Amino acid sequence: MSEAALPSELTIPVAILAERRPGVTIWQSHVWRALAVLEEAPPVPAWTRLREENGREVFFAGTAEVKLHRTDTPNYKDNLEAAEPRIWVVLRDTPEGMSIQAVTVDPGEAEIYTEGPSDLIEALPLPPGLAVLLASFVATHHVEREFHKRKRDRQDIDSLGRKGRV
């Protein structure tokens, strides 16, 4: 896709691998975490167990969409300029079982999910193909905003309700 052809909003499908491993406390029988983000989904249904060894199970958790918006390019740019660009996967434990809640490349959006008591968030390496697409999106839509420091207005002493001293 050429840079000129990139729309102002873009949705990119990704596939998620998750891991379930034994818990380390008496209060948790197991622990979940997002393991990897794939650019293409394997040809199996969501939550299919792919591998099991030493009590650890790897599942194809399913597919999700990464949504890019042109107004969020400053955050995407910051992510791309980091030493290791990241993609954040949010898993949520629901009564029906574990589910993919969100996948984002926006560090600000990822931070919002840290407040949820039942959300598990994992920062994973950004897949190379997605990094190229994200860089192209930022190059097309990012507008550098000049920092403008606000200056306070001088307060008129008479407007404060005090009378001047004589």
Side-chain angles (χ1 to χ4, degrees):
M1 188 178 279
S2 72
E3 288 183 11
L6 286 175
S8 63
E9 292 187 359
L10 187 62
T11 302
I12 306 164
V14 294
I16 309 299
L17 296 182
E19 177 187 59
R20 182 172 64 186
R21 62 184 188 266
V24 293
T25 68
I26 60 172
W27 297 279
Q28 288 184 311
S29 61
H30 60 274
V31 178
W32 285 95
R33 76 178 186 109
L35 192 61
V37 176
L38 308 174
E39 296 180 42
E40 293 191 27
V44 295
W47 297 105
T48 299
R49 183 176 23 201
L50 302 176
R51 181 174 71 234
E52 180 179 4
E53 56 187 54
N54 301 330
R56 293 177 183 231
E57 299 171 282
V58 175
F59 292 85
F60 165 60
T63 59
E65 294 178 337
V66 176
K67 294 181 181 178
L68 304 179
H69 304 277
R70 67 179 173 79
T71 55
D72 295 331
T73 58
N75 290 346
Y76 305 152
K77 186 173 182 276
D78 289 344
N79 186 11
L80 288 168
E81 291 172 350
E84 293 182 33
R86 297 289 183 185
I87 185 166
W88 289 266
V89 177
V90 181
L91 298 177
R92 182 171 288 168
D93 196 5
T94 65
E96 296 81 36
M98 195 57 65
S99 67
I100 301 169
Q101 182 64 27
V103 180
T104 183
V105 291
D106 182 342
E109 182 182 356
E111 186 177 350
I112 292 169
Y113 287 103
T114 63
E115 297 172 5
S118 61
D119 290 342
L120 305 170
I121 187 163
E122 193 75 36
L124 301 168
L126 186 63
L130 190 56
V132 168
L133 192 54
L134 182 61
S136 180
F137 187 85
V138 168
T140 302
H141 296 293
H142 183 67
V143 176
E144 202 62 47
R145 306 266 187 228
E146 183 180 323
F147 178 75
H148 178 72
K149 185 170 181 171
R150 226 178 65 183
K151 291 184 180 177
R152 295 189 69 154
D153 293 335
R154 290 281 180 204
Q155 187 65 43
D156 179 17
I157 294 176
D158 291 334
S159 71
L160 295 174
R162 294 187 225 161
K163 294 188 178 183
R165 294 186 180 192
V166 185

